[in-house]
Amino acid sequence: MGNSIIKVEDLSASYRKNTVLEDISFEVEPGSLTAIVGPNGAGKSTLMKTMLDLHPLLTGNVTYFGLPFQKAKKRIGYVPQRGSVDWDFPTDALDVVTMGLYGKIGWLKRPSKKHRELAFEALKKMGMEDYANRQISQLSGGQQQRVFLARALVQQADLYFMDEPLAGVDAATERAIMATLKELNEIGKTVLVVHHDLQTVMDYFDHVLFLNRTIISHGKTNEIFTKENIAQTYGGNMRLIGGEFQHVVSTSE
Amino acid sequence: MTYTAWIIVTAALVGLSCGLVGVFLILRKTAMMADAISHTVLLGIVIAFLVTREVSGSAMLVGGILAGLVTAFLVQWLHSLRVQHDASMGIVFTTLFAIGVILISTSVGNAHLDVQHALMGEITFIPFHTITLPVIGQIPQATALLMIVFLVVLFFIIAFYKEWKITSFDPTLAASLGIPVMVMHYLFMSLVSVTTVASFDSVGAIMVVAMLITPAASAYLWTDKLAVMLVLSGFFGVISAVAGFYVAAWIDTSISGSMAFATGIVFLVSFIGSPKHGLLSKYIRPGVHGRIVWRVKR
């Protein structure tokens, strides 16, 4: 793969003194929509954070568009887990989305009317226009997740990292988020998603990365999303219902 | 102006500056850094005095900023070495404060500095140390210092308003957008330090914590807008300071003590009666998200 958009070589990372990620090397094709799956404690979020320089890299090297992270970071959008911020912060949904533009606005300047319109458009895309002026603590979990996604959209990045965007959201939010991901994918953006629901991997993602402290398998979903790989990734915490992987449930959660 | 008028102006300026800075202490969840810095600036002031051999506003400000930054840096550093955050705060500030206390009693002698004064402040003495400024004329030194600090605080809050907002709400996003989160952190710690140094003479190291935290915590219960919270917090600070002065004059007690007590009363009223997040509003409008519930849970 000469045209890969992300290149990870021999990455490892630790939490406290325990190594949680080892010997991670993979490349991501531009325009792909990849699910990162694995059991709890497999290091899915840590992998994402390490790749984004939010967690120390023990060994290895990560490049984006052939550049180190610091030079590429303005082209990368990150949607953290919803619980990573305090939703009691005194601000409203539109304001949170506008924050995605702060890097472009520059020092000593206020967000202009145009910035607010861009933010409002992004909210509208997520079906949240009626909640623009709602205090963020008054939003449901799914609505908060949509605000986060809208904020990532206004950044107009080329590459998106999303940590469990579908965790604990309602069906409407899941549909809205997946429609947006598909749309991003169609206009050539690359998206990596930490995902917990094995049943939807086949429907939602064209690539999958099985992770359990190291990479078990990585490739096209229709080629490698097999019972064997799932069993190997999830180890004993698994049961197969009816022998079909569409009915695979992870019992570790 | 009369002595009383100067004391009230000074107290109001303390309430205003502390109220503004306090909002971000609360929102950045670093309220107890105010406690730490309010103690360690003592060391900065003492060292500034030992170097310059005079109690001058500018030397004290520089000493205070340095002490505040050293505190913030050491707390951060110890934490990175896996000492718990609250523990590293406790270790750093008590140690630096102790050095300050030792230096006062051994090296400073009977100068203007003493421990009692440093802890409690003495706003009634403020009108006696005056300087003459152009245009304004004769003005107490501490009041002039507070005015300058208030303007500095106001300038930085307005100039970097959106940066304060984003680094307080979501430092991860801020970093990924290229906003220097650590620089903003240390800049903010410097603002806390200058505010503390300027308020030192009037209310002392302990009561300044009340002025920094309580009005902001009260304002937090009244509004969901950051700008409104800043205005309210400054307003609560001024009200508490002025009311505290009159109560102290009326029952003849410590002014700084009754100012701090007044902030507590403002908080209690807000906690119970605020239409937005108060205790009563939850009974009147059930189902409303109460911030109090969240606060207790933490």
Side-chain angles (χ1 to χ4, degrees), chain A residues 199 225 227 230 239-249:
Chain A
Q199 299 187 50
F225 196 69
K227 266 185 284 186
I230 296 170
R239 59 200 161 94
L240 303 174
I241 300 172
E244 293 290 326
F245 52 63
Q246 282 93 327
H247 305 293
V248 158
V249 239

Side-chain angles (χ1 to χ4, degrees), chain B:
Chain B
M1 273 170 57
T2 63
Y3 281 178
T4 311
W6 277 125
I7 290 172
I8 291 173
V9 167
T10 311
L13 280 168
V14 170
L16 197 54
S17 312
C18 289
L20 291 178
V21 170
V23 165
F24 290 103
L25 279 169
I26 295 284
L27 294 179
R28 298 166 86 87
K29 316 225 183 300
T30 46
M32 287 333 280
M33 272 310 278
D35 193 24
I37 286 181
S38 71
H39 284 77
T40 55
V41 293
L42 178 73
L43 178 62
I45 291 173
V46 174
I47 290 178
F49 176 80
L50 290 176
V51 172
T52 61
R53 282 284 152 194
E54 58 181 318
V55 183
S56 88
S58 51
M60 273 164 49
L61 276 186
V62 173
I65 292 175
L66 290 179
L69 288 179
V70 166
T71 312
F73 175 77
L74 287 179
V75 168
Q76 206 64 240
W77 178 69
L78 269 188
H79 182 52
S80 73
L81 296 177
R82 290 171 194 169
V83 178
Q84 277 195 25
H85 202 265
D86 47 357
S88 64
M89 212 181 279
I91 294 163
V92 169
F93 96 77
T94 48
T95 308
L96 296 183
F97 180 66
I99 299 173
V101 170
I102 292 171
L103 282 179
I104 284 189
S105 46
T106 57
S107 315
V108 180
N110 59 356
H112 180 60
L113 288 164
D114 67 79
V115 175
Q116 173 72 14
H117 186 113
L119 288 179
M120 301 300 293
E122 203 33 274
I123 203 167
T124 38
F125 293 162
I126 275 171
F128 298 122
H129 305 275
T130 58
I131 51 170
T132 307
L133 289 183
V135 187
I136 304 172
Q138 225 186 22
I139 177 172
Q141 193 192 333
T143 316
L145 188 64
L146 271 163
M147 272 180 183
I148 294 165
V149 165
F150 167 65
L151 292 176
V152 168
V153 165
L154 194 65
F155 168 78
F156 276 104
I157 287 181
I158 292 175
F160 299 126
Y161 185 72
K162 73 176 192 303
E163 283 78 13
W164 297 126
K165 184 153 59 171
I166 193 171
T167 54
S168 305
F169 175 64
D170 193 347
T172 308
L173 174 74
S176 77
L177 295 175
I179 292 164
V181 177
M182 279 328 267
V183 173
M184 297 304 288
H185 173 70
Y186 285 113
L187 179 60
F188 180 62
M189 288 300 144
S190 305
L191 288 182
V192 175
S193 306
V194 292
T195 310
T196 312
V197 172
S199 312
F200 217 78
D201 248 1
S202 323
V203 294
I206 295 180
M207 298 310 173
V208 75
V209 181
M211 302 306 291
L212 280 167
I213 295 173
T214 323
S218 311
Y220 187 50
L221 297 170
W222 286 86
T223 178
D224 288 331
K225 295 226 179 307
L226 179 56
V228 179
M229 185 174 165
L230 282 162
V231 172
L232 270 181
S233 180
F235 172 73
F236 287 156
V238 172
I239 289 287
S240 309
V242 175
F245 170 79
Y246 279 109
V247 169
W250 176 43
I251 56 174
D252 191 20
T253 182
S254 149
I255 295 174
S256 59
S258 69
M259 278 165 65
F261 183 66
T263 64
I265 298 292
V266 169
F267 182 79
L268 189 67
V269 170
S270 310
F271 188 78
I272 295 170
S274 156
K276 219 144 196 149
H277 301 287
L279 217 50
L280 286 180
S281 73
K282 274 189 299 184
Y283 291 104
I284 296 162
R285 292 183 302 156
V288 171
H289 271 294
R291 222 163 243 175
I292 290 165
V293 177
W294 166 82
R295 292 217 144 261
V296 174
K297 262 195 289 187
R298 287 175 72 229

Side-chain angles (χ1 to χ4, degrees), chain A residues 22 39 44 47 56 62 71 76 104 108 122 125 132 134 139 151 153-154 157 176 185-186 214 223 253:
Chain A
E22 250 179 323
K44 302 181 297 274
L47 174 62
V62 185
K71 285 199 173 142
I76 302 171
K104 295 200 174 84
L108 302 177
K125 207 162 202 173
R134 186 76 68 92
L139 301 171
R151 190 180 72 175
L153 289 181
V154 296
N185 198 226
E186 273 158 24
T214 188
E223 289 168 11
E253 287 181 39

